[in-house]
Amino acid sequence: MSVPTTRAAVPVLAAEDLTVRFGRRTALANVTLSVPRGRVVSLIGPSGGGKTTLLRAFNRMNELVPGVATTGTVRFDGVDLHGDEVDPVEVRRRIGMVFQQATLFPRSIFENVAFGPRASGYTGDLQELAEELLAAVGLWSEVAEDLDRPAMQLSAGQQQRLCIARTLALRPEVLLLDEPTSALDPAATARIESLIHSLRQDYTIVLATHGRRQAARLSDLTAYLAGGELIEYGPTETLFTTPRDRRTESYLTGRIA
């Protein structure tokens, strides 16, 4: 996949007139949205509004669902992700995704981190890499003496941070986070939010969340989706204080769920 030389001037991700249908159901309808490099973008809206479908469109995960039909364009660094020269496996390496429910391998903590780099032919010191990544997600101090422990024995919050470490192991440029705190208690949620704050220095992050306050705390830009439509998109502070669309205002004030 070729990358333009003037990367700073090109949105890292862009959807252009994107429509996604699963059978007869339209999950996204004519969505156009750009994600600037180095920013945190939140996708908010009710369940079924299209947040997860848009995330999965950004790294070609939707096409793994039987019966999906996609029209429009999705670009990464200006390159059409559905072009003939584009390898979807490479797309998913460079645009990593962490799901709502922690999806760990039934292996040790160490093996969960090392699996991807090892499979990709990494020739460095896997032990050092694991330490680096576990430290980056705030787990090293908690598991350093227990790397052979089954990952599934970790708490829910620790599992989610391990999932993020495993994604970072492939050195992505973008992180897609799909409701990463929805199943967590307040303390674990706070740790994940703190982690997102620290990762924003090195990654572009797109976060789907039901938490209005979470979006306000974390993101530079926020998009409100409902019924598969992009209702409003702009700077988070502006969208939350002076929304242009009455539907956005109704959602933010809790008049609609």
Side-chain angles (χ1 to χ4, degrees):
M1 186 189 311
S2 60
V3 176
T5 56
T6 55
R7 297 180 71 197
V10 178
V12 65
L13 291 170
E16 302 167 7
D17 200 26
L18 178 66
T19 295
V20 179
R21 296 184 177 88
F22 297 100
R24 296 182 179 180
R25 181 176 71 87
T26 300
L28 287 178
N30 307 114
V31 169
T32 296
L33 176 148
S34 295
V35 177
R37 185 176 308 281
R39 301 295 184 90
V40 178
V41 173
S42 285
L43 310 179
I44 63 172
S47 296
K51 302 185 298 297
T52 295
T53 300
L54 181 55
L55 278 188
R56 292 170 66 93
F58 282 141
N59 72 344
R60 293 187 56 173
M61 291 289 288
N62 286 326
E63 65 192 56
L64 301 177
V65 180
V68 67
T70 300
T71 59
T73 306
V74 180
R75 299 186 187 277
F76 173 51
D77 278 333
V79 176
D80 184 349
L81 285 186
H82 290 87
D84 293 338
E85 77 285 2
V86 175
D87 178 2
V89 175
E90 176 69 4
V91 169
R92 293 170 196 141
R93 184 195 67 78
R94 295 176 64 182
I95 307 173
M97 187 165 183
V98 176
F99 300 93
Q100 182 174 357
Q101 298 293 330
T103 51
L104 295 170
F105 301 133
R107 302 184 179 200
S108 69
I109 295 168
F110 174 80
E111 287 299 328
N112 267 271
V113 177
F115 181 86
R118 185 185 288 126
S120 299
Y122 182 76
T123 57
D125 188 322
L126 284 172
Q127 191 73 28
E128 288 184 4
L129 180 64
E131 179 176 350
E132 173 194 337
L133 294 168
L134 291 170
V137 301
L139 264 181
W140 180 250
S141 62
E142 300 170 31
V143 303
E145 304 300 322
D146 214 6
L147 294 182
D148 291 331
R149 178 183 175 189
M152 300 304 294
Q153 292 182 4
L154 296 173
S155 70
Q158 289 174 321
Q159 288 187 31
Q160 194 65 292
R161 283 184 284 156
L162 181 56
C163 284
I164 295 173
R166 189 180 63 188
T167 301
L168 297 181
L170 293 176
R171 304 303 190 195
E173 298 171 41
V174 179
L175 285 177
L176 308 177
L177 305 178
D178 188 12
E179 300 279 358
T181 63
S182 64
L184 304 183
D185 61 36
T189 294
R191 291 190 187 97
I192 294 292
E193 290 189 1
S194 177
L195 173 58
I196 292 171
H197 270 298
S198 66
L199 293 175
R200 68 189 299 156
Q201 301 175 36
D202 300 306
Y203 301 92
T204 301
I205 299 173
V206 186
L207 166 71
T209 177
H210 281 296
R212 300 168 179 85
R213 293 180 180 177
Q214 184 173 77
R217 287 191 296 267
L218 295 176
S219 57
D220 303 299
L221 298 137
T222 297
Y224 171 52
L225 293 100
E229 297 182 33
L230 177 61
I231 307 301
E232 188 166 347
Y233 179 47
T236 296
E237 183 176 359
T238 300
L239 186 140
F240 274 80
T241 57
T242 55
R244 298 187 305 273
D245 194 291
R246 59 177 178 77
R247 292 170 291 179
T248 309
E249 181 180 8
S250 294
Y251 179 77
L252 293 174
T253 55
R255 290 199 294 271
I256 59 175

